[in-house]
Amino acid sequence: MREKEFLPAVKDRLGISQLNEMQLRMMASATDRRDIILLSPTGSGKTLAFTLPVMKMLRPSTGRVQCVVIAPSRELVVQIAGVMKTVGCGMRVTALYGGHKVEDEVNSLKVVPDIIVATPGRLLDHAVRRNVDLLPVRILVLDEFDKSLELGFEEEMGKIVKRMKNVGRYVLTSATRSEVLPDFLKLTDPVTFDYLEKNEDLKSRMHIHRVDCDSRDKLESLLVLLHNINSGEIPEKTIVFVNYRESAERVYGFLSGRGVDCALYHGALDQRERETAVALFNSGSRPVLVATDLASRGLDIERVASVIHYHQPMSAEAFTHRNGRTARVEEDGDVYMLVGPDEEIKDYVGFDDMYKPDPERRSNLRSGYQTLYVGGGRREKVSRGDILGFLAKECGVEPSSIGKIDVYDHYSLVAVKEEAVSRVLQKSSGRKLKGERRKITLLD
């Protein structure tokens, strides 16, 4: 594709008026014959950076898969596919990942896509079942390849690559530096774009604070900190990172029981529960997200004001990725670490200052929004505009009372101001949305 075909979409649909240095260099590299290794920190625009050269390398639709992007998590697959669909200017993009109906994916592959974005296991499963032919693939992108290897995907990825006999260009991305590349990759004179050290701007926008706790049990200290870092009418988005699922459940239960609007995110939740948690957090209905390191990469999360380390991260990489959830795309961000009595600080942890919260301070930790479940999504041809129009016309809700609308395959989630919820539930009963009566309930 030519740049004049897809660059307007970057500006108009993604709202990006100017590409950064990394994105410009990556786009220019499309005309080179060398493979690419991109090292770049979380939050630097890496997804768009590798999407741009891919778009330049694509030919007009041929009825065969031209490009495959492999990512280690469902959430990252969805994010990448969203960007590529937005920029792709008619190129067909299909996302393959676990946690939703295989039948939907099989149907989406009946019209052969130009680009497939997938987790390793799901892609291999489709290839083995002959739902997709990987032989024609010319471009292979391994996003967060270091994380894929950490999660034990190396064998699956090796089997996938063996099916791609015609790959001519490899693009590998990572937010950490690795001395070893997977054995199954045969890179040709790769060029490395290393932006890990060119991160002074991020450091100037991110402030890391130490918060000492009086007790080894940090729950009360966490609550006090949340009251101190929120001063406005609406609480700002904050992610609280813990090391274990059980800890996430415990912290979530404690905060919820004390009136904090929060969501829970960890690997033992099913796909819909994880999607819902991210939607609640992004919409502002639940401005505090309690999460394991699973949320440190791959999620499309907007405008996180603060990150709190309830537990010290277990590695330098985890520390980097957690912190990278804030201070993204030229915004400032604050990082707080709760430190218990006699707790030894890891070598890779550094602080800018000491922060001492006021234990008497109280602030609003409720969002003022509730989230509604709508029993219809993309597969039922329900759009955000359909839902917005239904709430305004059929339920009499002012547009200013309607927040973020997330549409998934078979359901949708809508943030609505608390005072409008009862009206929606009452007025929507028996009325048709997109030609059918659909279940609309308050999300618990």
Side-chain angles (χ1 to χ4, degrees):
M1 294 175 64
R2 291 172 297 180
E3 293 174 30
K4 66 180 183 180
E5 295 178 64
F6 59 82
L7 281 184
V10 174
K11 180 178 180 180
D12 298 337
R13 300 178 193 173
L14 294 180
I16 297 174
S17 58
Q18 186 173 354
L19 300 177
N20 62 31
E21 177 194 345
M22 175 183 67
Q23 292 161 348
L24 289 170
R25 287 186 68 191
M26 284 289 288
M27 186 167 62
S29 71
T31 56
D32 198 345
R33 294 290 182 182
R34 301 169 67 185
D35 296 322
I36 302 168
I37 299 174
L38 173 62
L39 305 177
S40 178
T42 301
S44 58
K46 179 161 51 67
T47 299
L48 182 58
F50 70 73
T51 294
L52 294 172
V54 166
M55 291 302 160
K56 285 187 69 173
M57 293 181 220
L58 289 177
R59 299 167 182 166
S61 293
T62 61
R64 296 182 175 185
V65 182
Q66 299 187 56
C67 173
V68 166
V69 182
I70 297 178
S73 70
R74 306 164 182 173
E75 292 79 8
L76 192 50
V77 165
V78 172
Q79 177 189 334
I80 294 168
V83 172
M84 292 190 132
K85 286 177 182 177
T86 301
V87 179
C89 299
M91 288 292 177
R92 185 173 177 82
V93 181
T94 294
L96 308 175
Y97 55 93
H100 65 168
K101 292 183 179 180
V102 176
E103 293 82 3
D104 287 343
E105 293 185 346
V106 172
N107 290 333
S108 72
L109 291 168
K110 287 181 178 177
V111 179
V112 179
D114 300 285
I115 302 170
I116 290 176
V117 187
T119 52
R122 198 58 162 240
L123 179 59
L124 182 60
D125 183 60
H126 280 293
V128 169
R129 295 173 185 268
R130 299 186 178 181
N131 296 329
V132 60
D133 181 12
L134 299 179
L135 187 60
V137 174
R138 300 184 299 107
I139 308 161
L140 176 59
V141 180
L142 303 182
D143 190 34
E144 304 280 16
F145 73 89
D146 58 323
K147 187 65 174 178
S148 294
L149 301 182
E150 283 179 18
L151 294 174
F153 290 139
E154 185 165 2
E155 182 178 354
E156 291 174 335
M157 291 168 68
K159 290 179 179 179
I160 291 168
V161 171
K162 284 182 180 179
R163 292 172 176 268
M164 300 180 183
K165 307 288 187 184
N166 294 300
V167 171
R169 295 292 296 276
Y170 290 93
V171 180
L172 277 62
T173 82
S174 175
T176 57
R177 190 175 288 105
S178 176
E179 299 297 328
V180 180
L181 295 178
D183 292 335
F184 55 80
L185 292 178
K186 308 299 181 184
L187 302 187
T188 304
D189 188 25
V191 58
T192 298
F193 297 134
D194 190 343
Y195 285 87
L196 295 179
E197 298 300 330
K198 297 179 181 179
N199 205 21
E200 294 305 317
D201 178 55
L202 174 61
K203 292 177 182 177
S204 69
R205 293 184 285 107
M206 179 187 296
H207 313 284
I208 304 177
H209 315 280
R210 172 172 173 154
V211 182
D212 285 338
C213 306
D214 295 331
S215 169
R216 291 182 181 276
D217 190 343
K218 303 174 183 178
L219 290 173
E220 291 293 346
S221 296
L222 172 62
L223 183 60
V224 168
L225 177 60
L226 288 171
H227 278 294
N228 274 258
I229 64 178
N230 287 283
S231 57
E233 294 182 8
I234 300 174
E236 295 184 308
K237 289 181 187 173
T238 299
I239 302 180
V240 180
F241 280 109
V242 300
N243 287 345
Y244 310 103
R245 297 170 183 174
E246 296 79 9
S247 301
E249 297 276 358
R250 180 168 177 262
V251 172
Y252 168 77
F254 173 84
L255 293 178
S256 298
R258 280 148 182 83
V260 180
D261 279 343
C262 56
L264 176 67
Y265 190 93
H266 59 66
L269 302 175
D270 65 31
Q271 178 64 13
R272 177 171 288 195
E273 289 172 323
R274 285 155 64 178
E275 283 180 347
T276 299
V278 174
L280 290 170
F281 184 60
N282 260 339
S283 71
S285 295
R286 303 287 186 272
V288 176
L289 181 67
V290 182
T292 60
D293 284 334
L294 185 65
S296 66
R297 291 207 261 188
L299 297 184
D300 187 12
I301 293 176
E302 307 160 359
R303 298 183 180 279
V304 177
S306 303
V307 163
I308 298 175
H309 298 276
Y310 185 85
H311 294 138
Q312 288 190 60
M314 294 183 175
S315 68
E317 290 77 12
F319 185 57
T320 298
H321 291 307
R322 286 181 179 185
N323 295 346
R325 300 291 6 168
T326 189
R328 298 170 73 92
V329 195
E330 299 182 359
E331 295 180 351
D332 289 343
D334 287 286
V335 175
Y336 301 87
M337 180 171 289
L338 298 173
V339 181
D342 304 320
E343 184 175 350
E344 186 176 345
I345 303 299
K346 307 289 187 182
D347 293 339
Y348 45 80
V349 173
F351 302 105
D352 295 318
D353 58 40
M354 178 85 73
Y355 182 81
K356 189 173 179 58
D358 178 359
E360 302 301 321
R361 182 167 180 172
R362 293 293 178 268
S363 60
N364 176 45
L365 297 177
R366 303 298 300 270
S367 69
Y369 278 83
Q370 297 273 14
T371 295
L372 299 175
Y373 169 93
V374 179
R378 283 189 292 260
R379 300 291 178 179
E380 291 74 35
K381 308 298 183 185
V382 174
S383 69
R384 290 181 178 87
D386 295 328
I387 295 171
L388 183 62
F390 177 82
L391 293 177
K393 295 176 183 178
E394 300 295 334
C395 302
V397 178
E398 292 292 328
S400 60
S401 294
I402 303 171
K404 197 169 187 296
I405 301 174
D406 292 282
V407 180
Y408 299 95
D409 282 350
H410 296 289
Y411 71 100
S412 303
L413 300 175
V414 190
V416 178
K417 285 188 177 178
E418 286 181 332
E419 57 266 25
V421 169
S422 59
R423 171 187 288 271
V424 173
L425 296 177
Q426 179 183 3
K427 295 285 187 180
S428 64
S429 179
R431 304 202 180 193
K432 292 184 178 181
L433 168 59
K434 203 66 181 288
E436 291 188 21
R437 292 184 178 89
R438 302 187 186 278
K439 181 181 178 181
I440 299 180
T441 59
L442 182 63
L443 188 70
D444 186 1

